[in-house]
Amino acid sequence: MRLLCVFSTVLLALILALNPGSLLATAPESPELILRDGDPLSYELRPYLALYTEEGVDPTQDPASVFNDDSLFAPHTADTIPNFGFSNDSHWVRVRIRSESARGEWFLSFNHPAVDRVHYFLRCPGEATVEYLAGDQVPQSEWPIRDRRPLFPLALEQGQSCQIFLNLTSSGSISVPLTLYAPEKLTRVLVQEALVFGSYYGIMVVIILINLVLWLRTLEKTYFWNFLFLFVYTLGVPMLNGLAFQYLWPELPALNNMLASFLLLGAFLLQQFARIFLNAKVLAPALDRAMLVVQIIIAPALIASLFIDYKYSIIAGSLAFAPGTVITVIAGVYIMLRGYRPARFYVLGWGLLLLGALVYALQNFGLVPINLLTNYGYQIGSVFEALFVSLGVSSRLRILRDQAQNAKIALLSSRRHQQSQILNSTRLELEMLKRTIQPHFLLNSLNAAQGWLEVAPEKGVHMLDKLAEELRLILSAVDQTTVPLEREIELCGLHLEVMGLRLNKDLRLEVRRFGEDASISVPPLVLHTLVENGVTHGYQGRKSGVFVIRARRRGERPVLTYFNDGSLQSGSATRGTGIGLR
């Protein structure tokens, strides 16, 4: 490394010794633009520019010191349009021009509307300096020609050589796209712009109104957020290209600094719309959180942009809009790959918009030729974005309607199924009642009670009370899945009392408990059925009987045991397996 440094030093000394003026030579002059008859009706001035940057901005400085010192200027040799970016300095541009044409009237177009001040000077030998002022911080009444971008008249006599000086200052970025037009060429350009911008804003207004009307009709929130975004976006574009200043507030240049706030508001609305439209919270939770973080960052920056210097707010707006757009496009691609159909419209629309913006930027830097497609690529792309995204919103609405219809069908089917279950349950309850309260049982019990009322009224009344209580418990149990064990035991005791009075038998119920059984539940009428069968089939010819229910727990499981002392008669037609419940 040390040998390399020594070698470089010796080589530099030899060069200086052989050509001592090589490092002190003056900068080459920028080429002179020569206007001739028969030449094109417009000239791109990039190859003829010479540039000088003056540190700081001093509006009281005499520009004569710049006019008379050629050594300050260096020719612009790059193939791209000069771009100074964000700068607090004062930038000078010089163009040397000589007319050999009989045409004497020209117009100089500064095709970057968002520059605070463009101070124009035309210096011709033997004539007074012509001076104009324009820029988006200068009222349009002070411009030489009212237009969306600074436009300066240029009168040249045949054989005359002049110099054009432009002094540029701005709190935003500064680029220098300069074009010299003949009047007829400028007229064609302005007519073309009017047609393009008229068509563009007409289409955008129609799309915005369609989204507004659809939102008012359907109350679908994606239409609302798309309407807000397109409204802010469509108003922000003319602030960027100078049309808003030309037509909406020509004498209020301070309003042009709202561009930063519109960029931030547009970025915020874009995140909100993308989150809802793409259903990102469900389909891409991580990307949804990323877009939410962008919104949280934008919100205070949006408020601050109303108070801080335009330079910092426009930087914040640009930094928020660009990454925010990238995140939403990534989310759109990811969700599209997951099969969500509306995301295809979103990706296609934003893809065309970004492509149009890229083509427009490449044209501004002189990397692609200027034509209708490249010059208005941004507007063309934004129209397709608004159109395809609006179609995507309609697609999403159709999907939501289909889902709602399917949910409605599923709900109706569920209700039918539920009604069928209720009907079946009612049928089962009726069947249970039929089997539990047999007509002959009820009639025989009432006949027995009537007989007791004649010979022993107290017993008759008692039998009717017990019969009524038994029926009440049966009716209260048929619509339940389980009942407490105590209620089932009570029902069995009532049935034995009724049957004992009816058959004139001594039927007793014994309950044997082992441990705590209060929390035990059983299916309704399960023991009642066993007791009823036992009375009917086990005590023919007998005057008494004992029915035993034993309850205990085996670990966490309840165990119930039922038996009686009855027996089947020999040869009975109802003889079974000996198992009452399996």
Side-chain angles (χ1 to χ4, degrees), residues 32-324:
E32 184 179 46
L33 173 62
I34 301 175
L35 306 177
R36 295 185 174 92
D37 288 329
D39 278 357
L41 298 179
S42 65
Y43 296 88
E44 295 298 324
L45 300 186
R46 175 184 54 79
Y48 307 99
L49 303 181
L51 309 175
Y52 162 58
T53 298
E54 185 178 16
E55 293 185 2
V57 177
D58 185 2
T60 64
Q61 182 180 2
D62 183 7
S65 60
V66 177
F67 299 156
N68 299 323
D69 191 352
D70 290 341
S71 64
L72 296 176
F73 288 87
H76 177 68
T77 58
D79 294 332
T80 58
I81 293 173
N83 192 319
F84 300 106
F86 292 91
S87 172
N88 293 323
D89 298 328
S90 175
H91 302 280
W92 286 87
V93 179
R94 186 192 67 189
V95 179
R96 297 166 61 240
I97 187 169
R98 179 161 56 93
S99 177
E100 296 182 358
S101 171
R103 185 188 306 277
E105 187 179 16
W106 299 85
F107 292 91
L108 179 66
S109 174
F110 187 86
N111 302 314
H112 186 192
V115 172
D116 289 355
R117 288 175 178 80
V118 181
H119 209 157
Y120 168 94
F121 303 91
L122 176 65
R123 288 176 55 84
C124 300
E127 297 183 6
T129 300
V130 178
E131 183 177 348
Y132 297 116
L133 184 64
D136 74 352
Q137 292 304 303
V138 179
Q140 288 257 340
S141 58
E142 299 179 18
W143 288 32
I145 300 173
R146 292 197 176 198
D147 194 64
R148 68 181 186 87
R149 81 295 241 170
L151 192 62
F152 305 101
L154 175 62
L156 293 175
E157 297 179 1
Q158 190 171 12
Q160 189 175 28
S161 295
C162 299
Q163 293 186 95
I164 299 172
F165 292 89
L166 298 179
N167 180 238
L168 311 174
T169 57
S170 184
S171 53
S173 64
I174 301 176
S175 63
V176 191
L178 286 172
T179 307
L180 188 66
Y181 290 108
E184 55 267 40
K185 176 66 173 180
L186 179 62
T187 300
R188 288 201 294 269
V189 169
L190 294 179
V191 169
Q192 184 185 77
E193 282 186 353
L195 290 174
V196 171
F197 286 130
S199 302
Y200 168 71
Y201 288 109
I203 294 172
M204 293 299 292
V205 168
V206 169
I207 294 175
I208 290 171
L209 291 178
I210 289 174
N211 278 272
L212 176 61
V213 171
L214 290 175
W215 170 62
L216 293 175
R217 289 189 60 186
T218 65
L219 297 181
E220 168 58 35
K221 55 187 176 182
T222 47
Y223 282 120
F224 172 73
W225 289 110
N226 196 33
F227 158 73
L228 281 184
F229 171 72
L230 291 177
F231 178 79
V232 171
Y233 176 83
T234 305
L235 190 57
V237 171
M239 294 176 66
L240 186 63
N241 61 29
L243 286 173
F245 187 33
Q246 181 182 0
Y247 293 108
L248 299 182
W249 49 77
E251 300 305 311
L252 298 172
L255 294 182
N256 292 320
N257 287 340
M258 293 192 307
L259 176 61
S261 301
F262 270 77
L263 279 175
L264 288 165
L265 180 58
F268 182 90
L269 294 174
L270 173 60
Q271 304 302 309
Q272 181 67 19
F273 168 73
R275 292 177 61 205
I276 296 174
F277 173 74
L278 296 172
N279 198 17
K281 190 173 183 180
V282 175
L283 300 176
L287 289 170
D288 179 75
R289 289 191 294 270
M291 288 186 281
L292 178 61
V293 168
V294 172
Q295 285 185 288
I296 294 173
I297 295 173
I298 289 175
L302 174 59
I303 297 173
S305 68
L306 302 174
F307 307 101
I308 64 175
D309 186 79
Y310 175 78
K311 173 183 177 180
Y312 302 107
S313 60
I314 193 65
I315 291 175
S318 301
L319 291 177
F321 200 90

Side-chain angles (χ1 to χ4, degrees), residues 548-569:
V548 180
I549 297 175
R550 184 167 60 189
R552 60 190 179 89
R553 283 188 178 274
R554 181 180 297 165
E556 295 296 324
R557 297 176 58 186
V559 178
L560 299 178
T561 304
Y562 161 79
F563 59 90
N564 59 61
D565 60 351
S567 61
L568 291 175
Q569 296 297 318

